[in-house]
Amino acid sequence: MITGAPRIDELPPGSAAQHVRRALGLPMGTPSAELGYELLRAVTWASTGGRAPVSTRTLLDRTVGLDAALHDGDVDAAARRNVLRGRIEDLAGIGDLAPLPRGQWLAVPGCIVQLDATDPDSQLLVSGVPLRHLDTRLRSAVAPDGARRILTGHIRAADVGLPVIGFDDWVRRPRRSLRAWTESLLTDSLDAVPEDLEASALRFYVPAHAHPGARQSERWFEADPSLHGRYLARVDALGGWTQFFVAELRAGIVVGVREQDPHDVRRLMYGLDLEAGNPTVVRWAETQHEIRLRPTSPLPYAETRVLTALAESRADRGWVLTRHAGTVRRVLTDLGVTLKTDSPPVRSTGSVRRARPTARGVSRRN
């Protein structure tokens, strides 16, 4: 061995996960899902430091090798990249990561959320800072639960240097109805089509063309002469990121666009579903002690935060409610979704129209 050279120890099979737990400051019994989320926080924080953004592709490239080590390399790399991409979205939904235009991300220093004004000990840590970098008092109070980090004891802002905010301020749902919010977003001014934007590469979100109750991933279509009005559009760019626009079409021809903040895209999709009268489905199963619900499409960031705070997450991307059922039902109803259950039936209180095959997007209104 060369004098002064670093010592390299080969980890025995099956010990990589424990080694990573120690390196990240996690208890030895931390489950694999919670370990995976903390690994993503650590890689993102190391890549951004809360200041410089990192692209989706770079973040996945830096994480996938470490993730494979947790499984002793016995994984399908492409499948794991998809899992990690979904976990990035989970952390963004909570607020640990901030989505930026052009497929970039930024780790957020964060805050403490007071979930229940009547219970000072009901708190959630929202932060992209890895546990090992947190204040000792804060770190010792964290209980990982899926993507979220619950605080097991009351933490004062003065003790840990993080602001404490209320539940409603953290969720940040628009105060206007979904229909009014969608209308306002669609009618904002547009720009000329950039020369470097290949209009033929755009796909348009047209829920009126999809079968009733289809997943939102199945509601994207190519342009055709029947499209007239304003639509949500997307183009998959090099580097693994997707760019979104509000686009105006006349007889299938794009005549104006405006790049859309990715943070608002999912809510706009639900608004367009409502306009077309073709809601998506959330499966809602009630038992004596709990309610299990599973959306067939991802929820907007604000609604994801509500469920993150009030429900327990499951491996199948569903949720379990043992309380707050009325609040969650109201939040989902405001999105215009169909709550589908066998018994007892759950009916939306909103006025959601049936799908109309003749609807063609949302025309511009002055």
Side-chain angles (χ1 to χ4, degrees):
M1 177 180 292
I2 301 175
T3 303
R7 178 179 177 179
I8 300 176
D9 293 326
E10 183 175 348
L11 297 174
S15 66
Q18 292 293 69
H19 177 78
V20 173
R21 287 183 179 93
R22 284 194 297 270
L24 295 178
L26 294 169
M28 290 298 102
T30 302
S32 60
E34 285 76 3
L35 173 60
Y37 283 113
E38 189 63 19
L39 178 63
L40 264 173
R41 289 188 186 95
V43 174
T44 308
W45 186 257
S47 301
T48 71
R51 296 183 297 274
V54 60
S55 69
T56 304
R57 181 174 183 177
T58 299
L59 183 54
L60 291 174
D61 286 346
R62 292 174 177 175
T63 308
V64 70
L66 293 170
D67 178 76
L70 299 181
H71 302 84
D72 292 327
D74 185 21
V75 295
D76 181 325
R80 291 305 298 178
R81 285 182 77 91
N82 287 333
V83 170
L84 292 171
R85 186 185 295 271
R87 288 180 174 177
I88 292 172
E89 292 288 346
D90 291 342
L91 292 176
I94 296 171
D96 291 1
L97 305 184
L100 304 177
R102 301 184 180 275
Q104 293 185 312
W105 304 90
L106 190 65
V108 177
C111 62
I112 294 171
V113 178
Q114 189 70 50
L115 299 179
D116 188 341
T118 64
D119 181 6
D121 290 337
S122 179
Q123 294 179 306
L124 179 73
L125 174 64
V126 177
S127 176
V129 179
L131 282 179
R132 62 174 298 174
H133 294 305
L134 294 175
D135 176 274
T136 303
R137 287 166 293 186
L138 184 58
R139 183 169 65 244
S140 62
V142 169
D145 176 30
R148 64 181 179 175
R149 296 192 286 192
I150 300 294
L151 296 179
T152 57
H154 179 58
I155 299 293
R156 297 189 307 168
D159 292 338
V160 296
L162 288 178
V164 177
I165 65 174
F167 180 72
D168 291 336
D169 291 333
W170 171 64
V171 170
R172 292 171 54 190
R173 284 201 307 155
R175 297 185 182 276
R176 291 176 291 176
S177 70
L178 179 61
R179 194 183 298 277
W181 180 88
T182 300
E183 180 71 13
S184 175
L185 197 66
L186 288 174
T187 54
D188 283 347
S189 62
L190 303 182
D191 303 316
V193 181
E195 293 183 0
D196 60 348
L197 178 62
E198 185 62 46
S200 62
L202 290 172
R203 297 294 180 268
F204 300 91
Y205 190 74
V206 192
H209 284 187
H211 63 80
R215 292 181 174 87
Q216 289 180 331
S217 60
E218 300 170 352
R219 301 181 179 211
W220 295 93
F221 300 90
E222 296 181 359
D224 66 63
S226 70
L227 297 184
H228 186 86
R230 292 197 175 184
Y231 298 81
L232 174 64
R234 60 178 286 178
V235 61
D236 297 324
L238 296 176
W241 57 276
T242 301
Q243 194 170 10
F244 294 94
F245 303 88
V246 169
E248 183 163 351
L249 288 84
R250 297 175 186 167
I253 304 299
V254 180
V255 297
V257 297
R258 182 185 70 247
E259 186 169 0
Q260 185 58 48
D261 186 337
H263 188 275
D264 293 328
V265 166
R266 187 63 63 172
R267 180 171 299 278
L268 181 55
M269 292 165 71
Y270 279 91
L272 294 173
D273 294 341
L274 183 65
E275 288 285 344
N278 189 5
T280 58
V281 173
V282 173
R283 302 192 182 280
W284 181 288
E286 298 188 20
T287 66
Q288 184 177 359
H289 302 292
E290 65 184 21
I291 297 172
R292 293 176 177 264
L293 59 94
R294 184 168 61 85
T296 54
S297 297
L299 298 174
Y301 286 125
E303 285 70 17
T304 298
R305 289 182 174 188
V306 171
L307 286 174
T308 296
L310 304 182
E312 297 179 8
S313 60
R314 295 174 52 190
D316 64 356
R317 306 189 73 77
W319 305 85
V320 176
L321 287 171
T322 56
R323 55 179 182 167
H324 304 297
T327 298
V328 172
R329 182 182 302 187
R330 183 173 64 253
V331 165
L332 295 176
T333 298
D334 289 346
L335 276 179
V337 303
T338 296
L339 300 181
K340 186 175 182 181
T341 184
D342 294 330
S343 179
V346 178
R347 299 184 182 276
S348 170
T349 58
S351 58
V352 180
R353 302 186 301 275
R354 294 180 62 86
R356 297 174 299 177
T358 57
R360 295 289 186 253
V362 180
S363 299
R364 181 175 182 175
R365 300 174 177 87
N366 296 321

